[in-house]
Amino acid sequence: MGALHEGHLTLMRAAKEATDFVIASVFVNPTQFGPNEDFDAYPRRFEEDCRKLESVGVDAVFHPQAADMYPQGFCTYVNVDGDITHKLCGAQRPIHFRGVATVVTKLFNITQADEAFFGQKDAQQVVVVCRFVQDMNLPVHINMVPIVREESGLARSSRNVYLSPEEKTAALVLSRSLRLAKDAYEKGERNAAVLKALVTKEIAGEPLAAIDYVDLFSFPALEAIETVDEKSLLALAVRIGKTRLIDNIILG
Amino acid sequence: MGALHEGHLTLMRAAKEATDFVIASVFVNPTQFGPNEDFDAYPRRFEEDCRKLESVGVDAVFHPQAADMYPQGFCTYVNVDGDITHKLCGAQRPIHFRGVATVVTKLFNITQADEAFFGQKDAQQVVVVCRFVQDMNLPVHINMVPIVREESGLARSSRNVYLSPEEKTAALVLSRSLRLAKDAYEKGERNAAVLKALVTKEIAGEPLAAIDYVDLFSFPALEAIETVDEKSLLALAVRIGKTRLIDNIILG
């Protein structure tokens, strides 16, 4: 969606290393925003984005207008109608993943990409994309690239530009709380409720933070678990002021 | 869906003429049947189908099992959510076109076909397929092949095998009523209501026939019209006993 940061550029470098022609799509996709979300406010910095993409050797940029992607009469949506879209971010953003699945299907068909690169920051999105790629038999291979963080620990996000200096400090509670859970996991804690409680308690200590969700699911199936004895996703969404931020870690 | 007849074989010959490698799919797709429809009864004659396909020079047959197409965990559907799926057959068969769009998308992705051939008999299906191919930017070209009829005028259909001899005679009212409308159109009648009434009246004269719909829309937009002054679709669905048959003509 543009407003590119080091997280995106890491995706581009991974793509550059794995393939011989890299296309970046820069498109703030209207169909994945709900009516009261930040579609209009979402940062748009196309010229700066192009300079960054060029600096990492991206071969082409696909930057359509909304009317190119959704012309008059457009009415087809790809709907991933399973549990994986109803929990975590899907619970608060009911049409979000329909918009993601629809636009990503279009991007795959337009570019005919063989390999596609998505960030772990949107881990649920990766799960959803893998699901519809498999269900629709799309001939593309999905690669997940680890989260890129600032030195402070804050996960890189285009939405970080919304944060005031005070909020940016408060936002450190996301990664700090995940690190606490990770430390506990590494010391042997396997109880999902205990790990979630560690995170919740840490965030509750930050007055500017309001929890949207803190949850722990098997990964990539996103099934409820009581004990972390397989690969699992500890994910959270937290509002810092008016800005909704997400972060996660994979355990196991 | 197999139980191949001369209509299907005409599609195969058209494909053979236009391309250098023809794949036929033979798959009775469960997701396009409603709960009270004829999925279980639908005729399955795979060996006979293969002999017929071989006789017209088809290069390969794709004959998956339902569990191959819809394995456990499958949950992605292509939904054409516009007027074009809510009228005609879509009005009585609410999930039908979602099933069609989903399976056809999968077939396109699996086969990577450049050209695809559909019969005009399912004219609304052709409209829906063209719609999602355009909306999803699928790299395939859709060809519509005219309806093939028996000498009696009855449109070829796999469901004709359900008809008793008496019902088969009664079923001639479908094509007869469309011919009446076509004659009137050719003599200058352009009023949509008058043309529809001609069809309805003719069918009402057949005691074994019960009208599901008789409708006239612009083609391929499927918009309501009062006067036939552009290309239009006169389409009907009629139950003959327990068998639901469809037929249509394109005017203009």
Side-chain angles (χ1 to χ4, degrees):
Chain A
M1 299 213 296
L4 302 177
H5 51 66
E6 195 53 32
H8 298 113
L9 299 183
T10 304
L11 294 176
M12 304 301 158
R13 288 188 201 103
K16 194 74 193 165
E17 199 154 308
T19 71
D20 53 13
F21 193 89
V22 177
I23 308 175
S25 68
V26 175
F27 179 55
V28 184
N29 174 39
T31 64
Q32 72 193 65
F33 287 82
N36 297 314
E37 294 179 7
D38 59 344
F39 174 68
D40 289 327
Y42 199 87
R44 287 159 173 88
R45 303 175 171 183
F46 185 60
E47 289 184 17
E48 196 182 320
D49 288 347
C50 285
R51 281 193 296 275
K52 289 178 180 172
L53 292 170
E54 203 164 8
S55 78
V56 292
V58 164
D59 299 288
V61 179
F62 183 61
H63 180 57
Q65 297 303 301
D68 300 325
M69 294 293 270
Y70 306 109
Q72 216 192 344
F74 181 97
C75 63
T76 308
Y77 294 92
V78 177
N79 202 18
V80 180
D81 190 19
D83 263 4
I84 56 169
T85 57
H86 300 147
K87 50 187 63 163
L88 299 170
C89 288
Q92 296 289 327
R93 307 185 72 187
I95 65 152
H96 176 66
F97 287 114
R98 188 186 76 156
V100 168
T102 300
V103 78
V104 173
T105 297
K106 286 171 67 68
L107 293 171
F108 287 163
N109 287 336
I110 291 167
T111 61
Q112 296 285 298
D114 305 298
E115 300 283 334
F117 297 78
F118 291 84
Q120 183 198 317
K121 169 116 179 316
D122 299 293
Q124 189 179 12
Q125 173 173 277
V126 177
V127 169
V128 170
V129 169
C130 288
R131 182 77 250 173
F132 75 73
V133 162
Q134 184 184 330
D135 286 354
M136 292 296 103
N137 309 97
L138 281 159
V140 60
H141 176 246
I142 305 304
N143 301 269
M144 186 171 82
V145 177
I147 295 178
V148 177
R149 300 179 181 280
E150 297 187 1
E151 266 188 55
S152 65
L154 182 66
R156 300 271 184 168
S157 165
S158 302
R159 290 190 170 98
N160 289 349
V161 301
Y162 297 151
L163 301 170
S164 70
E166 193 192 0
E167 288 172 337
K168 203 163 175 187
T169 305
L172 299 181
V173 75
L174 279 79
S175 54
R176 196 168 65 237
S177 68
L178 291 172
R179 240 181 0 255
L180 276 177
K182 194 172 187 213
D183 289 347
Y185 173 83
E186 282 169 359
K187 282 177 191 147
E189 184 57 66
R190 290 293 179 272
N191 186 303
V194 170
L195 291 165
K196 283 191 277 186
L198 272 172
V199 174
T200 307
K201 193 183 161 200
E202 181 68 15
I203 299 172
E206 171 49 63
L208 292 183
I211 292 175
D212 192 346
Y213 64 76
V214 171
D215 234 324
L216 186 50
F217 291 111
S218 68
F219 186 83
L222 298 190
E223 280 165 356
I225 46 170
E226 289 181 12
T227 334
V228 185
D229 35 33
E230 54 182 320
K231 208 175 177 185
S232 304
L233 176 72
L234 176 56
L236 47 80
V238 174
R239 283 174 205 279
I240 304 289
K242 288 182 173 174
T243 305
R244 184 176 177 279
L245 298 175
I246 59 174
D247 199 350
N248 69 74
I249 49 168
I250 292 174
L251 300 174
Chain B
M1 298 211 298
L4 301 178
H5 51 67
E6 195 53 31
H8 297 112
L9 299 183
T10 304
L11 293 176
M12 304 300 159
R13 288 187 202 101
K16 194 75 192 164
E17 200 155 306
T19 71
D20 54 11
F21 194 89
V22 177
I23 308 174
S25 68
V26 175
F27 178 56
V28 185
N29 173 38
T31 64
Q32 71 192 65
F33 288 82
N36 297 313
E37 294 179 6
D38 59 344
F39 174 69
D40 289 329
Y42 199 88
R44 287 159 174 87
R45 301 173 171 185
F46 185 60
E47 289 185 17
E48 198 182 320
D49 289 345
C50 285
R51 282 194 296 275
K52 289 177 179 173
L53 292 170
E54 202 163 9
S55 77
V56 292
V58 164
D59 299 287
V61 179
F62 182 61
H63 180 57
Q65 298 302 300
D68 299 325
M69 294 293 269
Y70 306 111
Q72 214 191 346
F74 181 97
C75 63
T76 307
Y77 294 92
V78 178
N79 202 18
V80 181
D81 189 20
D83 264 4
I84 57 170
T85 56
H86 300 146
K87 49 187 63 166
L88 300 170
C89 288
Q92 295 289 328
R93 307 184 71 188
I95 64 151
H96 176 65
F97 288 114
R98 189 186 74 156
V100 168
T102 300
V103 78
V104 173
T105 297
K106 286 171 65 71
L107 293 171
F108 287 164
N109 287 337
I110 291 166
T111 62
Q112 295 286 300
D114 304 297
E115 300 283 335
F117 297 78
F118 291 84
Q120 184 198 317
K121 168 116 180 314
D122 298 295
Q124 189 179 11
Q125 174 172 277
V126 177
V127 169
V128 171
V129 169
C130 287
R131 182 77 249 174
F132 75 73
V133 162
Q134 185 184 329
D135 286 354
M136 291 296 103
N137 310 95
L138 282 159
V140 60
H141 177 246
I142 305 303
N143 301 268
M144 184 172 82
V145 177
I147 295 177
V148 176
R149 299 178 180 282
E150 297 187 1
E151 265 187 57
S152 65
L154 182 66
R156 302 271 184 167
S157 165
S158 303
R159 291 190 169 99
N160 290 349
V161 300
Y162 298 151
L163 301 169
S164 70
E166 193 193 3
E167 289 173 335
K168 203 165 175 184
T169 305
L172 298 181
V173 76
L174 279 79
S175 55
R176 195 167 66 237
S177 67
L178 291 173
R179 238 177 5 251
L180 277 176
K182 195 177 186 204
D183 289 347
Y185 173 82
E186 281 169 357
K187 283 174 191 150
E189 184 57 65
R190 292 292 180 273
N191 185 304
V194 170
L195 291 165
K196 283 191 280 186
L198 272 173
V199 174
T200 308
K201 194 182 161 200
E202 182 68 17
I203 299 171
E206 170 50 63
L208 292 184
I211 291 174
D212 193 343
Y213 65 76
V214 171
D215 234 321
L216 186 51
F217 291 110
S218 68
F219 186 83
L222 299 190
E223 279 165 357
I225 47 170
E226 289 180 10
T227 334
V228 184
D229 36 32
E230 53 180 323
K231 207 173 178 185
S232 304
L233 176 73
L234 177 54
L236 45 78
V238 175
R239 282 173 206 279
I240 304 289
K242 287 184 175 173
T243 306
R244 185 176 177 278
L245 299 175
I246 60 174
D247 201 348
N248 69 75
I249 49 168
I250 291 173
L251 300 173

